[in-house]
PDB file of all heavy atoms in Angstrom:
ATOM      1  N   LYS V 200      11.548 -12.420   9.577  1.00 43.00           N
ATOM      2  CA  LYS V 200      12.666 -13.107  10.227  1.00 43.00           C
ATOM      3  C   LYS V 200      13.822 -13.204   9.254  1.00 43.00           C
ATOM      4  O   LYS V 200      13.654 -13.568   8.105  1.00 43.00           O
ATOM      5  CB  LYS V 200      12.241 -14.492  10.723  1.00 43.00           C
ATOM      6  CG  LYS V 200      11.309 -14.405  11.917  1.00 43.00           C
ATOM      7  CD  LYS V 200      11.094 -15.780  12.514  1.00 43.00           C
ATOM      8  CE  LYS V 200      10.365 -15.655  13.843  1.00 43.00           C
ATOM      9  NZ  LYS V 200      11.144 -14.974  14.864  1.00 43.00           N
ATOM     10  N   LYS V 201      15.013 -12.916   9.728  1.00 43.00           N
ATOM     11  CA  LYS V 201      16.179 -12.824   8.858  1.00 43.00           C
ATOM     12  C   LYS V 201      16.805 -14.194   8.574  1.00 43.00           C
ATOM     13  O   LYS V 201      16.831 -15.070   9.437  1.00 43.00           O
ATOM     14  CB  LYS V 201      17.238 -11.927   9.508  1.00 43.00           C
ATOM     15  CG  LYS V 201      16.724 -10.544   9.900  1.00 43.00           C
ATOM     16  CD  LYS V 201      16.306  -9.743   8.685  1.00 43.00           C
ATOM     17  CE  LYS V 201      15.903  -8.338   9.074  1.00 43.00           C
ATOM     18  NZ  LYS V 201      15.504  -7.528   7.935  1.00 43.00           N
ATOM     19  N   ASN V 202      17.318 -14.340   7.357  1.00 46.00           N
ATOM     20  CA  ASN V 202      18.131 -15.505   6.980  1.00 46.00           C
ATOM     21  C   ASN V 202      17.475 -16.838   7.342  1.00 46.00           C
ATOM     22  O   ASN V 202      18.093 -17.715   7.925  1.00 46.00           O
ATOM     23  CB  ASN V 202      19.501 -15.423   7.664  1.00 46.00           C
ATOM     24  CG  ASN V 202      20.236 -14.147   7.313  1.00 46.00           C
ATOM     25  OD1 ASN V 202      20.205 -13.705   6.166  1.00 46.00           O
ATOM     26  ND2 ASN V 202      20.875 -13.533   8.293  1.00 46.00           N
ATOM     27  N   ILE V 203      16.213 -16.988   6.998  1.00 43.00           N
ATOM     28  CA  ILE V 203      15.506 -18.224   7.315  1.00 43.00           C
ATOM     29  C   ILE V 203      15.346 -19.047   6.036  1.00 43.00           C
ATOM     30  O   ILE V 203      14.835 -18.568   5.037  1.00 43.00           O
ATOM     31  CB  ILE V 203      14.137 -17.913   7.959  1.00 43.00           C
ATOM     32  CG1 ILE V 203      13.460 -19.195   8.459  1.00 43.00           C
ATOM     33  CG2 ILE V 203      13.219 -17.169   7.008  1.00 43.00           C
ATOM     34  CD1 ILE V 203      12.267 -18.929   9.346  1.00 43.00           C
ATOM     35  N   ASN V 204      15.877 -20.273   6.051  1.00 49.00           N
ATOM     36  CA  ASN V 204      15.773 -21.118   4.864  1.00 49.00           C
ATOM     37  C   ASN V 204      14.500 -21.961   4.928  1.00 49.00           C
ATOM     38  O   ASN V 204      13.731 -21.886   5.885  1.00 49.00           O
ATOM     39  CB  ASN V 204      17.014 -22.014   4.706  1.00 49.00           C
ATOM     40  CG  ASN V 204      17.202 -22.949   5.887  1.00 49.00           C
ATOM     41  OD1 ASN V 204      16.247 -23.482   6.436  1.00 49.00           O
ATOM     42  ND2 ASN V 204      18.452 -23.156   6.291  1.00 49.00           N
ATOM     43  N   LYS V 205      14.266 -22.766   3.890  1.00 46.00           N
ATOM     44  CA  LYS V 205      13.015 -23.504   3.805  1.00 46.00           C
ATOM     45  C   LYS V 205      12.831 -24.485   4.964  1.00 46.00           C
ATOM     46  O   LYS V 205      11.748 -24.617   5.524  1.00 46.00           O
ATOM     47  CB  LYS V 205      12.940 -24.246   2.466  1.00 46.00           C
ATOM     48  CG  LYS V 205      12.781 -23.329   1.268  1.00 46.00           C
ATOM     49  CD  LYS V 205      12.691 -24.116  -0.018  1.00 46.00           C
ATOM     50  CE  LYS V 205      12.527 -23.186  -1.215  1.00 46.00           C
ATOM     51  NZ  LYS V 205      12.453 -23.942  -2.486  1.00 46.00           N
ATOM     52  N   THR V 206      13.891 -25.187   5.338  1.00 50.00           N
ATOM     53  CA  THR V 206      13.786 -26.153   6.439  1.00 50.00           C
ATOM     54  C   THR V 206      13.481 -25.435   7.738  1.00 50.00           C
ATOM     55  O   THR V 206      12.612 -25.843   8.512  1.00 50.00           O
ATOM     56  CB  THR V 206      15.094 -26.949   6.583  1.00 50.00           C
ATOM     57  OG1 THR V 206      15.332 -27.681   5.384  1.00 50.00           O
ATOM     58  CG2 THR V 206      14.999 -27.919   7.755  1.00 50.00           C
ATOM     59  N   GLU V 207      14.187 -24.335   7.991  1.00 53.00           N
ATOM     60  CA  GLU V 207      13.960 -23.575   9.215  1.00 53.00           C
ATOM     61  C   GLU V 207      12.560 -22.988   9.234  1.00 53.00           C
ATOM     62  O   GLU V 207      11.910 -22.941  10.284  1.00 53.00           O
ATOM     63  CB  GLU V 207      15.001 -22.461   9.328  1.00 53.00           C
ATOM     64  CG  GLU V 207      16.416 -22.977   9.551  1.00 53.00           C
ATOM     65  CD  GLU V 207      17.456 -21.885   9.407  1.00 53.00           C
ATOM     66  OE1 GLU V 207      17.168 -20.874   8.738  1.00 53.00           O
ATOM     67  OE2 GLU V 207      18.558 -22.038   9.962  1.00 53.00           O
ATOM     68  N   ALA V 208      12.095 -22.541   8.078  1.00 51.00           N
ATOM     69  CA  ALA V 208      10.748 -21.966   7.997  1.00 51.00           C
ATOM     70  C   ALA V 208       9.702 -23.015   8.356  1.00 51.00           C
ATOM     71  O   ALA V 208       8.768 -22.750   9.111  1.00 51.00           O
ATOM     72  CB  ALA V 208      10.498 -21.414   6.601  1.00 51.00           C
ATOM     73  N   GLY V 209       9.866 -24.220   7.809  1.00 52.00           N
ATOM     74  CA  GLY V 209       8.928 -25.298   8.107  1.00 52.00           C
ATOM     75  C   GLY V 209       8.918 -25.647   9.580  1.00 52.00           C
ATOM     76  O   GLY V 209       7.862 -25.800  10.198  1.00 52.00           O
ATOM     77  N   MET V 210      10.104 -25.767  10.178  1.00 57.00           N
ATOM     78  CA  MET V 210      10.203 -26.086  11.595  1.00 57.00           C
ATOM     79  C   MET V 210       9.658 -24.944  12.446  1.00 57.00           C
ATOM     80  O   MET V 210       9.046 -25.162  13.493  1.00 57.00           O
ATOM     81  CB  MET V 210      11.662 -26.372  11.960  1.00 57.00           C
ATOM     82  CG  MET V 210      12.203 -27.674  11.377  1.00 57.00           C
ATOM     83  SD  MET V 210      11.203 -29.122  11.842  1.00 57.00           S
ATOM     84  CE  MET V 210      11.465 -29.152  13.621  1.00 57.00           C
ATOM     85  N   TYR V 211       9.878 -23.723  11.990  1.00 56.00           N
ATOM     86  CA  TYR V 211       9.391 -22.571  12.742  1.00 56.00           C
ATOM     87  C   TYR V 211       7.868 -22.550  12.783  1.00 56.00           C
ATOM     88  O   TYR V 211       7.253 -22.362  13.839  1.00 56.00           O
ATOM     89  CB  TYR V 211       9.924 -21.281  12.122  1.00 56.00           C
ATOM     90  CG  TYR V 211       9.409 -20.027  12.790  1.00 56.00           C
ATOM     91  CD1 TYR V 211       9.873 -19.657  14.050  1.00 56.00           C
ATOM     92  CD2 TYR V 211       8.447 -19.240  12.169  1.00 56.00           C
ATOM     93  CE1 TYR V 211       9.391 -18.522  14.667  1.00 56.00           C
ATOM     94  CE2 TYR V 211       7.957 -18.098  12.793  1.00 56.00           C
ATOM     95  CZ  TYR V 211       8.435 -17.738  14.040  1.00 56.00           C
ATOM     96  OH  TYR V 211       7.956 -16.623  14.651  1.00 56.00           O
ATOM     97  N   VAL V 212       7.253 -22.759  11.603  1.00 59.00           N
ATOM     98  CA  VAL V 212       5.795 -22.802  11.540  1.00 59.00           C
ATOM     99  C   VAL V 212       5.258 -23.903  12.440  1.00 59.00           C
ATOM    100  O   VAL V 212       4.310 -23.703  13.214  1.00 59.00           O
ATOM    101  CB  VAL V 212       5.317 -23.015  10.088  1.00 59.00           C
ATOM    102  CG1 VAL V 212       3.824 -23.299  10.056  1.00 59.00           C
ATOM    103  CG2 VAL V 212       5.633 -21.788   9.246  1.00 59.00           C
ATOM    104  N   LEU V 213       5.860 -25.086  12.370  1.00 59.00           N
ATOM    105  CA  LEU V 213       5.406 -26.215  13.177  1.00 59.00           C
ATOM    106  C   LEU V 213       5.536 -25.906  14.668  1.00 59.00           C
ATOM    107  O   LEU V 213       4.623 -26.175  15.455  1.00 59.00           O
ATOM    108  CB  LEU V 213       6.205 -27.471  12.829  1.00 59.00           C
ATOM    109  CG  LEU V 213       5.809 -28.743  13.597  1.00 59.00           C
ATOM    110  CD1 LEU V 213       4.356 -29.103  13.296  1.00 59.00           C
ATOM    111  CD2 LEU V 213       6.730 -29.896  13.228  1.00 59.00           C
ATOM    112  N   SER V 214       6.677 -25.323  15.068  1.00 62.00           N
ATOM    113  CA  SER V 214       6.893 -25.042  16.491  1.00 62.00           C
ATOM    114  C   SER V 214       5.878 -24.035  17.019  1.00 62.00           C
ATOM    115  O   SER V 214       5.364 -24.182  18.135  1.00 62.00           O
ATOM    116  CB  SER V 214       8.318 -24.521  16.720  1.00 62.00           C
ATOM    117  OG  SER V 214       8.510 -23.260  16.111  1.00 62.00           O
ATOM    118  N   ILE V 215       5.577 -22.995  16.205  1.00 58.00           N
ATOM    119  CA  ILE V 215       4.601 -22.001  16.630  1.00 58.00           C
ATOM    120  C   ILE V 215       3.217 -22.625  16.770  1.00 58.00           C
ATOM    121  O   ILE V 215       2.494 -22.375  17.747  1.00 58.00           O
ATOM    122  CB  ILE V 215       4.549 -20.828  15.623  1.00 58.00           C
ATOM    123  CG1 ILE V 215       5.862 -20.043  15.659  1.00 58.00           C
ATOM    124  CG2 ILE V 215       3.375 -19.906  15.927  1.00 58.00           C
ATOM    125  CD1 ILE V 215       6.157 -19.377  16.985  1.00 58.00           C
ATOM    126  N   LEU V 216       2.862 -23.469  15.822  1.00 60.00           N
ATOM    127  CA  LEU V 216       1.542 -24.106  15.860  1.00 60.00           C
ATOM    128  C   LEU V 216       1.420 -25.041  17.060  1.00 60.00           C
ATOM    129  O   LEU V 216       0.391 -25.093  17.725  1.00 60.00           O
ATOM    130  CB  LEU V 216       1.291 -24.869  14.564  1.00 60.00           C
ATOM    131  CG  LEU V 216       1.157 -24.006  13.304  1.00 60.00           C
ATOM    132  CD1 LEU V 216       1.021 -24.882  12.075  1.00 60.00           C
ATOM    133  CD2 LEU V 216      -0.031 -23.081  13.414  1.00 60.00           C
ATOM    134  N   VAL V 217       2.487 -25.786  17.333  1.00 58.00           N
ATOM    135  CA  VAL V 217       2.474 -26.693  18.486  1.00 58.00           C
ATOM    136  C   VAL V 217       2.326 -25.902  19.777  1.00 58.00           C
ATOM    137  O   VAL V 217       1.559 -26.274  20.675  1.00 58.00           O
ATOM    138  CB  VAL V 217       3.757 -27.547  18.512  1.00 58.00           C
ATOM    139  CG1 VAL V 217       3.860 -28.290  19.837  1.00 58.00           C
ATOM    140  CG2 VAL V 217       3.763 -28.539  17.364  1.00 58.00           C
ATOM    141  N   LYS V 218       3.046 -24.788  19.886  1.00 59.00           N
ATOM    142  CA  LYS V 218       2.956 -23.950  21.088  1.00 59.00           C
ATOM    143  C   LYS V 218       1.541 -23.413  21.261  1.00 59.00           C
ATOM    144  O   LYS V 218       1.014 -23.367  22.373  1.00 59.00           O
ATOM    145  CB  LYS V 218       3.949 -22.792  20.994  1.00 59.00           C
ATOM    146  CG  LYS V 218       5.401 -23.212  21.181  1.00 59.00           C
ATOM    147  CD  LYS V 218       6.320 -22.001  21.063  1.00 59.00           C
ATOM    148  CE  LYS V 218       7.774 -22.426  21.208  1.00 59.00           C
ATOM    149  NZ  LYS V 218       8.706 -21.267  21.042  1.00 59.00           N
ATOM    150  N   GLN V 219       0.933 -23.000  20.151  1.00 53.00           N
ATOM    151  CA  GLN V 219      -0.436 -22.484  20.220  1.00 53.00           C
ATOM    152  C   GLN V 219      -1.400 -23.568  20.686  1.00 53.00           C
ATOM    153  O   GLN V 219      -2.285 -23.331  21.496  1.00 53.00           O
ATOM    154  CB  GLN V 219      -0.864 -21.947  18.855  1.00 53.00           C
ATOM    155  CG  GLN V 219      -0.167 -20.651  18.458  1.00 53.00           C
ATOM    156  CD  GLN V 219      -0.614 -20.165  17.091  1.00 53.00           C
ATOM    157  OE1 GLN V 219      -1.331 -20.860  16.390  1.00 53.00           O
ATOM    158  NE2 GLN V 219      -0.179 -18.974  16.708  1.00 53.00           N
ATOM    159  N   ARG V 220      -1.196 -24.763  20.167  1.00 52.00           N
ATOM    160  CA  ARG V 220      -2.093 -25.863  20.542  1.00 52.00           C
ATOM    161  C   ARG V 220      -1.927 -26.215  22.015  1.00 52.00           C
ATOM    162  O   ARG V 220      -2.902 -26.449  22.730  1.00 52.00           O
ATOM    163  CB  ARG V 220      -1.813 -27.092  19.671  1.00 52.00           C
ATOM    164  CG  ARG V 220      -2.779 -28.243  19.958  1.00 52.00           C
ATOM    165  CD  ARG V 220      -2.662 -29.337  18.935  1.00 52.00           C
ATOM    166  NE  ARG V 220      -1.346 -29.947  18.943  1.00 52.00           N
ATOM    167  CZ  ARG V 220      -1.009 -30.971  18.143  1.00 52.00           C
ATOM    168  NH1 ARG V 220      -1.894 -31.431  17.277  1.00 52.00           N
ATOM    169  NH2 ARG V 220       0.188 -31.494  18.191  1.00 52.00           N
ATOM    170  N   GLU V 221      -0.669 -26.232  22.506  1.00 54.00           N
ATOM    171  CA  GLU V 221      -0.410 -26.564  23.903  1.00 54.00           C
ATOM    172  C   GLU V 221      -0.945 -25.478  24.829  1.00 54.00           C
ATOM    173  O   GLU V 221      -1.486 -25.756  25.893  1.00 54.00           O
ATOM    174  CB  GLU V 221       1.090 -26.752  24.116  1.00 54.00           C
ATOM    175  CG  GLU V 221       1.645 -27.982  23.411  1.00 54.00           C
ATOM    176  CD  GLU V 221       3.155 -28.081  23.528  1.00 54.00           C
ATOM    177  OE1 GLU V 221       3.788 -27.073  23.936  1.00 54.00           O
ATOM    178  OE2 GLU V 221       3.713 -29.172  23.244  1.00 54.00           O
ATOM    179  N   THR V 222      -0.798 -24.211  24.397  1.00 52.00           N
ATOM    180  CA  THR V 222      -1.266 -23.100  25.228  1.00 52.00           C
ATOM    181  C   THR V 222      -2.773 -23.127  25.411  1.00 52.00           C
ATOM    182  O   THR V 222      -3.299 -22.912  26.523  1.00 52.00           O
ATOM    183  CB  THR V 222      -0.861 -21.747  24.584  1.00 52.00           C
ATOM    184  OG1 THR V 222       0.564 -21.685  24.504  1.00 52.00           O
ATOM    185  CG2 THR V 222      -1.384 -20.593  25.428  1.00 52.00           C
ATOM    186  N   HIS V 223      -3.475 -23.405  24.327  1.00 44.00           N
ATOM    187  CA  HIS V 223      -4.937 -23.396  24.372  1.00 44.00           C
ATOM    188  C   HIS V 223      -5.513 -24.791  24.668  1.00 44.00           C
ATOM    189  O   HIS V 223      -6.720 -24.934  24.827  1.00 44.00           O
ATOM    190  CB  HIS V 223      -5.499 -22.876  23.046  1.00 44.00           C
ATOM    191  CG  HIS V 223      -5.062 -21.477  22.748  1.00 44.00           C
ATOM    192  ND1 HIS V 223      -5.557 -20.394  23.425  1.00 44.00           N
ATOM    193  CD2 HIS V 223      -4.160 -20.983  21.852  1.00 44.00           C
ATOM    194  CE1 HIS V 223      -5.001 -19.278  22.953  1.00 44.00           C
ATOM    195  NE2 HIS V 223      -4.146 -19.618  22.006  1.00 44.00           N
ATOM    196  N   ASN V 224      -4.638 -25.783  24.743  1.00 42.00           N
ATOM    197  CA  ASN V 224      -5.048 -27.149  25.054  1.00 42.00           C
ATOM    198  C   ASN V 224      -6.172 -27.629  24.155  1.00 42.00           C
ATOM    199  O   ASN V 224      -7.147 -28.232  24.589  1.00 42.00           O
ATOM    200  CB  ASN V 224      -5.474 -27.260  26.510  1.00 42.00           C
ATOM    201  CG  ASN V 224      -5.616 -28.733  26.960  1.00 42.00           C
ATOM    202  OD1 ASN V 224      -4.907 -29.595  26.427  1.00 42.00           O
ATOM    203  ND2 ASN V 224      -6.484 -28.983  27.910  1.00 42.00           N
ATOM    204  N   THR V 225      -6.045 -27.330  22.883  1.00 38.00           N
ATOM    205  CA  THR V 225      -7.067 -27.727  21.918  1.00 38.00           C
ATOM    206  C   THR V 225      -6.455 -27.795  20.538  1.00 38.00           C
ATOM    207  O   THR V 225      -5.337 -27.351  20.336  1.00 38.00           O
ATOM    208  CB  THR V 225      -8.244 -26.718  21.919  1.00 38.00           C
ATOM    209  OG1 THR V 225      -9.260 -27.198  21.044  1.00 38.00           O
ATOM    210  CG2 THR V 225      -7.788 -25.354  21.452  1.00 38.00           C
ATOM    211  N   SER V 226      -7.190 -28.344  19.593  1.00 40.00           N
ATOM    212  CA  SER V 226      -6.695 -28.366  18.231  1.00 40.00           C
ATOM    213  C   SER V 226      -6.882 -27.001  17.615  1.00 40.00           C
ATOM    214  O   SER V 226      -7.787 -26.257  17.988  1.00 40.00           O
ATOM    215  CB  SER V 226      -7.452 -29.417  17.402  1.00 40.00           C
ATOM    216  OG  SER V 226      -8.826 -29.113  17.381  1.00 40.00           O
TER     217      SER V 226
END
Side-chain angles (χ1 to χ4, degrees):
K200 289 189 170 295
K201 306 296 185 180
N202 302 320
I203 187 168
N204 61 38
K205 291 181 180 179
T206 298
E207 292 170 337
M210 290 304 295
Y211 177 73
V212 170
L213 181 61
S214 66
I215 293 297
L216 293 175
V217 169
K218 287 180 182 178
Q219 289 179 352
R220 184 169 63 178
E221 292 175 347
T222 299
H223 299 287
N224 193 30
T225 185
S226 60

